[in-house]
Amino acid sequence: LEFRRVLFRSLAGKRTADGTTLRTNEEIRGWLLREAGLAAVQFQAFGAREETGWFRLSVGAVSPADIEGLLPRLRAALGTLR
């Protein structure tokens, strides 16, 4: 559970390669999907009203090989942030 909070704290305020600053849950969610192929659902989708920094990450429909394949993409995407 704590990974979700760390994810937001680690990414909020970072600049992407195109110069966009990630400020909101939605901006972070969209960036993760575009750059790493990682689908994350911000808690606003479940009724949260504020930017809590909480995301739901679900791996129930993918194989362990799919998860392993995601990690290099996520690492590479994270490496582009400033």
Side-chain angles (χ1 to χ4, degrees), residues 5-60:
R5 193 78 161 160
V6 170
L7 184 66
F8 179 80
R9 287 181 182 161
S10 298
L11 300 180
K14 297 285 187 183
R15 278 187 298 123
T16 65
D18 70 1
T20 302
T21 300
L22 300 174
R23 291 189 173 96
T24 67
N25 289 353
E26 177 59 23
E27 290 170 347
I28 292 169
R29 185 209 59 80
W31 181 83
L32 287 167
L33 185 59
R34 283 188 309 278
E35 300 300 322
L38 174 62
V41 180
Q42 66 270 34
F43 268 31
Q44 284 96 332
F46 303 105
R49 294 180 185 215
E50 60 221 28
E51 296 287 325
T52 61
W54 289 93
F55 294 85
R56 180 176 180 182
L57 306 174
S58 178
V59 296

